[in-house]
Amino acid sequence: MDEENKLSRKTVLKAALAAGVAAPVALIGGPALARTTVASGQAPELTPYCDDGDDPTIPQTEGPYFKPNSPQRTSLVTPGTPGTRLTVSGYVFGLGCLPIARALLDFWQADVNGAYDNVGYTFRGHQFTNDQGAFSLSTIVPGLYPGRTRHIHVKVQAPGRPVLTTQLYFPNEPRNNTDTIFDPRLLMTVRDVGTAKEAAFDFVLNVPQTPTSTSRPTSTTPTTSTSTSNPPGGTTWAAGTGYSAGARVTYSGRGYVCLQAHTAQPGWEPPSTPALWRAE
């Protein structure tokens, strides 16, 4: 399929919002296409892509603090647990943009002081997605420790499939630019809710799927046209440049708007980092 005609999740979401279709609040930041249908309790129709980069969620190092046999639970906190309360929710999809039920998610993280519990199972726990492929975790914003930015570890596994080990990150963290492990493709969408925070992230696993729905979109005509002769945007994107939120660039003839301040690095080109850049 021609690159210009690919239907991204954000494009579909924008169209739904413009038409007045309700979407989950956590989705407004743009983390999912298929979840708009799944949240209604229906299996989603066949859609071309499960994420804006057309790639499964990337793996990352397990690190030294993983422990097997964590307790099954969806909350890692008690009423007296110190720290800013955080709810992380989302969906697990396969390559066909269909939800994966009973997918295993095993989370572990540092406490508010940046320390891991290597004796017991504080801030460790696993759960399974429901029939709609959804999960929700109640925890706190993890603390910082030397050499790393703020993050949450997770292992995700579809039934009978290999394990994906990766990490989730927080936007606008000063250490994101200095942490050598950090990858903007793993940024969560985070918003403040009173004194707490809500985050959203959808996992796309490398699991082949055969769509169960026979209906498909009847038209692939883009709702907006693009022009390569007079592309929108500002200066051409360049690695090593510091960009502020709202900055506009062009890349490969297309315009992009910066979503959060950062210093560009090789591999963070706008088409590859939808958490940092929004296509115009």
Side-chain angles (χ1 to χ4, degrees), residues 70-82:
S70 69
Q72 182 176 344
R73 56 189 178 187
T74 59
S75 178
L76 306 183
V77 296
T78 63
T81 301

Side-chain angles (χ1 to χ4, degrees), residues 70-123:
S70 69
Q72 182 176 344
R73 56 189 178 187
T74 59
S75 178
L76 306 183
V77 296
T78 63
T81 301
T84 300
R85 292 297 188 268
L86 170 70
T87 300
V88 181
S89 63
Y91 293 85
V92 177
F93 296 107
L95 296 178
C97 289
L98 299 176
I100 299 177
R102 297 297 295 170
L104 169 68
L105 299 103
D106 196 348
F107 295 95
W108 72 102
Q109 66 172 77
D111 64 16
V112 70
N113 297 313
Y116 288 84
D117 179 8
N118 296 316
V119 177
Y121 287 92
T122 304
F123 292 114

